[in-house]
């Protein structure tokens, strides 16, 4: 990539990832501008059918996917696995990296002007695409996301903490912000789609009911509830001010494993969260210890402050009677 296009410079980015991160940043800059003009030049929220995972696809989903794929040709990325592609694409036979990406997360929010984003994870390339991607998330070399909102932000990890960059609209470059994310404490905020309450497993219902009971319940404190329906937006809020996010599997057909994809949504976010001192599980077991059985495999997802995530796992250890009884049988959670 020519020096003139290097819009992301920082000594904290390991040299093997400099070119890749600049290509991602360059596409993100273009998407940020395009999103800001959405409705003036084109209908970015227009329906385009379904993606490989069976979810509704918007025009911007396709635009973002094509932009990233084109920008990464000739880079160190050999295999490209996208939410919008049925199978992984071989971009460069000589490349040593494999990139898993959700090119445009939260596309249902495009036409209501809420934050949307891009999520990506980077592995070493194996002999085949399946060998590159169908492996534990613990094998990730790097991960990150871009937020397209009031500000365009890029957040990434290379296994040594979390880096945070802001796109300056004046000079068109990303600049690192001096912010330390810390999810090691307890937090009084949770994010879940409460409309699905009746479908949740009993441990999840019990946890949420105890939070909603506030000071009078077994948790003895008041909690705030949030839900944006954009994983990137939820993640950035939690990294910035704490809390916990829950997207459990539930009793509805097709939702037994939730709706979030392991490879290019949950594993990269889990890597970032752990690097900030938090935790990420499927409700019980660590996300990064798991291995997907398909490119578009789904998993329940719980992440955020380590203490909050551990408490949710503890609810899964309670008996049926304890999770069925409102408050009375859960006195051990008074903390």
């Amino acid at each position: 990539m020519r020096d003139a296009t290097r819009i992301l410079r920082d000594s904290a980015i390991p040299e093997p990832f400099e070119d890749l991160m600049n290509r991602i940043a360059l596409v993100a800059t273009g998407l940020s501008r395009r999103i800001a003009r959405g409705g003036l030049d084109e209908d970015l929220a227009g329906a385009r059918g379904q993606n490989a995972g069976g979810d509704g696809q918007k025009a911007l989903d396709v635009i973002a996917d094509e932009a990233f794929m084109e920008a990464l040709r000739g880079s160190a990325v050999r295999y490209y696995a996208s939410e919008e592609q049925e199978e992984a694409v071989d971009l460069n036979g000589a490349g040593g990296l494999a990139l898993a990406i959700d090119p445009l997360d939260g596309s249902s929010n495009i036409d209501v002007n809420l934050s949307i984003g891009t999520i990506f994870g980077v592995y070493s390339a194996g002999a085949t695409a399946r060998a590159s991607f169908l492996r534990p998330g613990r094998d990730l070399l790097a991960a990150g996301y871009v937020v397209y909102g009031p500000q365009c932000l890029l957040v990434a990890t290379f296994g040594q903490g979390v880096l945070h960059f802001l796109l300056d609209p004046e000079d068109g470059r990303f600049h690192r912000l001096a912010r330390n994310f810390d999810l090691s404490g307890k937090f009084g905020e949770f994010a879940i789609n409460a409309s699905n309450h009746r479908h949740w497993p009993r441990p999840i219902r019990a946890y949420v009911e105890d939070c909603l009971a506030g000071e009078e319940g077994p948790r003895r404190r008041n909690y705030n509830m949030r839900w944006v329906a954009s994983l990137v937006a939820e993640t950035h809020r939690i990294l910035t001010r704490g809390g916990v996010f829950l997207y459990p599997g539930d009793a509805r057909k097709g939702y037994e494993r939730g709706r979030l994809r392991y490879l290019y949504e949950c594993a990269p976010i889990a890597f970032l969260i752990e690097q900030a001192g938090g935790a990420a599980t499927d409700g019980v077991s660590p996300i990064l210890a798991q291995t997907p059985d398909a490119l578009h495999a789904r998993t329940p997802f719980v992440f955020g402050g380590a203490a909050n995530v551990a408490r949710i796992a503890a609810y899964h250890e309670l008996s049926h009677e304890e999770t069925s009884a409102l408050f009375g049988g859960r006195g051990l959670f008074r903390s």
Side-chain angles (χ1 to χ4, degrees):
M1 179 173 286
R2 294 176 304 164
D3 189 69
T5 63
R6 291 195 175 274
I7 62 173
L8 177 62
R9 287 179 176 274
D10 196 278
S11 59
I13 299 175
E15 189 276 333
F17 299 102
E18 286 181 354
D19 178 68
L20 171 60
M21 292 304 297
N22 268 279
R23 290 172 188 260
I24 290 172
L26 188 62
V27 175
T29 301
L31 288 175
S32 180
R33 294 194 189 103
R34 199 159 180 172
I35 291 165
R37 292 187 56 81
L40 295 176
D41 301 321
E42 55 193 331
D43 179 14
L44 298 177
R48 294 287 290 271
Q50 288 188 328
N51 61 27
D55 292 331
Q57 190 180 58
K58 301 295 182 71
L60 188 56
D61 288 309
V62 177
I63 290 167
D65 184 50
E66 292 175 347
F68 280 111
M69 191 156 49
E70 182 60 30
L72 292 171
R73 294 188 188 279
S75 73
V77 173
R78 175 171 186 178
Y79 295 115
Y80 175 90
S82 166
E83 180 184 17
E84 310 306 327
Q85 301 289 332
E86 188 71 35
E87 301 291 341
V89 179
D90 192 336
L91 294 180
N92 174 13
L97 300 176
L99 180 82
I101 189 168
D102 181 351
L104 204 289
D105 169 72
S107 56
S108 63
N109 287 325
I110 293 171
D111 54 356
V112 293
N113 201 27
L114 292 177
S115 294
I116 53 181
T118 296
I119 306 170
F120 61 91
V122 185
Y123 294 88
S124 60
T128 65
R130 289 182 63 84
S132 301
F133 295 118
L134 303 188
R135 60 203 295 187
R138 195 69 70 190
D139 289 350
L140 278 163
L141 303 176
Y145 62 81
V146 182
V147 181
Y148 310 110
Q151 295 178 315
C152 184
L153 300 164
L154 190 157
V155 178
T157 183
F158 304 93
Q160 300 291 326
V162 180
L163 304 178
H164 187 198
F165 301 91
L166 169 68
L167 175 63
D168 183 347
E170 297 297 325
D171 67 12
R173 295 179 181 273
F174 281 90
H175 301 269
R176 181 143 66 106
L177 301 179
R179 168 175 281 170
N180 293 319
F181 298 115
D182 183 7
L183 293 176
S184 59
K186 295 181 179 180
F187 305 96
E189 195 165 275
F190 66 97
I192 193 167
N193 186 350
S195 68
N196 297 322
H197 177 278
R198 66 195 183 280
H199 303 295
W200 296 336
R202 288 185 183 276
I204 299 297
R205 286 209 304 264
Y207 174 82
V208 172
E209 286 164 0
D210 285 356
C211 290
L212 293 176
E215 293 179 339
E216 292 74 30
R219 304 297 301 281
R220 294 291 190 258
R221 66 178 295 178
N222 294 321
Y223 287 80
N224 292 325
M225 183 167 64
R226 300 284 185 263
W227 185 251
V228 184
S230 167
L231 182 56
V232 161
E234 305 280 8
T235 301
H236 195 70
R237 186 189 64 251
I238 287 173
L239 277 175
T240 302
R241 68 186 193 197
V244 65
F245 170 95
L246 304 93
Y247 202 130
D250 64 43
R252 291 173 294 166
K253 183 177 176 55
Y255 284 78
E256 297 85 355
R257 299 287 297 165
R259 296 298 290 176
L260 297 177
R261 273 72 54 166
Y262 181 92
L263 181 63
Y264 40 79
E265 292 178 320
C266 301
I269 295 301
F271 189 20
L272 282 161
I273 291 295
E274 286 197 3
Q275 286 294 310
T281 71
D282 62 2
V284 178
S285 303
I287 285 291
L288 294 182
Q290 299 175 26
T291 301
D293 58 6
L295 290 181
H296 303 289
R298 301 181 188 274
T299 180
F301 198 26
V302 173
F303 71 85
N308 302 67
V309 173
R311 183 173 294 277
I312 292 167
Y315 272 75
H316 286 79
E317 298 174 359
L318 296 176
S319 68
H320 178 87
E321 290 73 20
E322 287 175 306
T323 55
S324 297
L326 188 63
F327 313 146
R330 297 198 286 273
L332 71 150
F333 292 118
R334 290 180 181 176
S335 64

